[in-house]
Amino acid sequence: EKNNYLLKTNDLVKKYKEYQAVNEVSMTINKGDIYGFIGKNGAGKTTFIRLATRLIEKSSGSLSFNSENVLKMGAVIEGPACYPYLSAKDNLNYYAIQKNIKDKKRIDEVLAFVGLDKVDNKKLFKDYSLGMKQRLGIGLAILDQPEFLILDEPINGLDPQGIVEIREIIHRLNQEYSTTILISSHILTELSLVATRYGIINEGKLVKELTKEELENECGQNIVLTSSD
Ligand code: ATP
């Protein structure tokens, strides 16, 4: 099934001077995957994500999207890019105008989807909880129904309830809209209920890839990540 992939990299490298932040990563994300990208702080997750979204240029190797429209991609990288002095709805309205989305129903649909429809419209983004902020970030990224959604550490720092809410959104996006999702985290267990496949990155290298079943079997054996976080 060689056309089933959505993102494929081959020996992808990003160097900063002599340091290889991403070191010969060959990764395949298939259509329909929820790919959990795990690594400690500084392992290279964000650099890989920035390469995938073309925020930065690779040093060598290849990266390809198997999509009719490579721009059908949504991403939340290093925190949600929202306007602090606007409400959730107005942030969405603002993006809708920029993205030329005319269907106003879509705003309410997205607000409900990310669980922000009951929030007082006078409450501004800056006063939201971290979980609400992350959910709005996801809302903005899914406004024009991307085929591929990239979320960089969306659950970092959230309380257990906040984590459950994000997991639920990810699960529903995948199930109801067939969205392929790449989600990074430095804590394996945070993703262990949501992702269908896992890639472990350490010092720029993709050191291991596992299915959900393999992970469940291996857990507690030789996967050591970080205990300091
Ligand atoms: P975090 O969870 O902290 O975001 P990460 O896994 O996303 O960690 P990266 O941000 O990708 O890690 O960083 C990987 C390595 O590359 C780090 O050692 C970092 O210092 C280095 N690095 C990243 N961006 C640059 C840059 N612009 N210039 C120099 N070094 C960089």
Side-chain angles (χ1 to χ4, degrees):
E1 294 188 39
K2 62 179 192 290
N3 284 325
N4 199 31
Y5 78 92
L6 187 59
L7 172 69
K8 193 193 289 254
T9 71
N10 200 8
D11 289 338
L12 188 65
V13 171
K14 179 65 187 179
K15 275 192 191 181
Y16 292 109
K17 301 221 168 87
E18 287 313 298
Y19 186 72
Q20 302 217 357
V22 168
N23 190 352
E24 296 179 5
V25 170
S26 301
M27 179 198 280
T28 302
I29 298 178
N30 289 318
K31 290 181 182 169
D33 277 348
I34 301 176
Y35 191 102
F37 195 32
I38 319 286
K40 324 186 235 210
N41 293 332
K45 303 180 298 296
T46 303
T47 304
F48 180 88
I49 285 170
R50 296 177 83 213
L51 286 167
T53 50
R54 317 296 167 105
L55 279 166
I56 55 172
E57 172 64 314
K58 65 186 195 259
S59 303
S60 63
S62 71
L63 184 144
S64 65
F65 275 100
N66 177 20
S67 172
E68 279 168 24
N69 182 358
V70 293
L71 300 179
K72 266 252 174 242
M73 183 161 69
V76 185
I77 305 173
E78 289 165 316
C82 301
Y83 290 88
Y85 289 91
L86 292 178
S87 66
K89 189 166 185 152
D90 287 343
N91 265 287
L92 285 161
N93 274 318
Y94 191 87
Y95 264 58
I97 291 165
Q98 291 184 326
K99 293 187 173 184
N100 206 22
I101 296 164
K102 302 245 162 56
D103 180 10
K104 287 289 173 199
K105 284 200 309 294
R106 181 70 189 143
I107 307 274
D108 291 323
E109 200 175 284
V110 168
L111 269 179
F113 194 84
V114 298
L116 294 172
D117 51 330
K118 304 276 190 318
V119 179
D120 186 342
N121 198 41
K122 288 202 271 297
K123 193 172 172 117
L124 305 178
F125 177 80
K126 70 181 177 66
D127 298 320
Y128 288 7
S129 70
L130 183 59
M132 291 164 76
K133 287 179 173 169
Q134 288 294 2
R135 284 186 278 130
L136 181 58
I138 295 173
L140 296 174
I142 63 171
L143 201 54
D144 55 359
Q145 292 173 294
E147 186 179 353
F148 187 34
L149 178 65
I150 298 180
L151 301 173
D152 187 15
E153 304 234 22
I155 52 193
N156 196 0
L158 295 188
D159 60 24
Q161 177 60 26
I163 294 173
V164 169
E165 285 163 355
I166 299 282
R167 276 190 188 144
E168 172 109 354
I169 289 168
I170 289 165
H171 190 69
R172 287 184 55 209
L173 273 172
N174 182 253
Q175 294 294 305
E176 295 171 27
Y177 295 87
S178 303
T179 311
T180 304
I181 298 164
L182 171 62
I183 173 171
S184 79
S185 180
H186 57 281
I187 304 173
L188 179 65
T189 51
E190 284 186 343
L191 294 188
S192 60
L193 290 171
V194 74
T196 53
R197 293 178 62 223
Y198 297 84
I200 314 239
I201 186 169
N202 192 31
E203 294 178 359
K205 282 244 174 235
L206 187 64
V207 290
K208 200 170 184 80
E209 278 189 299
L210 309 137
T211 63
K212 192 182 173 106
E213 291 70 32
E214 286 167 339
L215 178 75
E216 280 160 4
N217 293 334
E218 286 217 22
C219 233
Q221 288 178 33
N222 55 2
I223 300 174
V224 179
L225 288 166
T226 170
S227 52
S228 60
D229 301 303

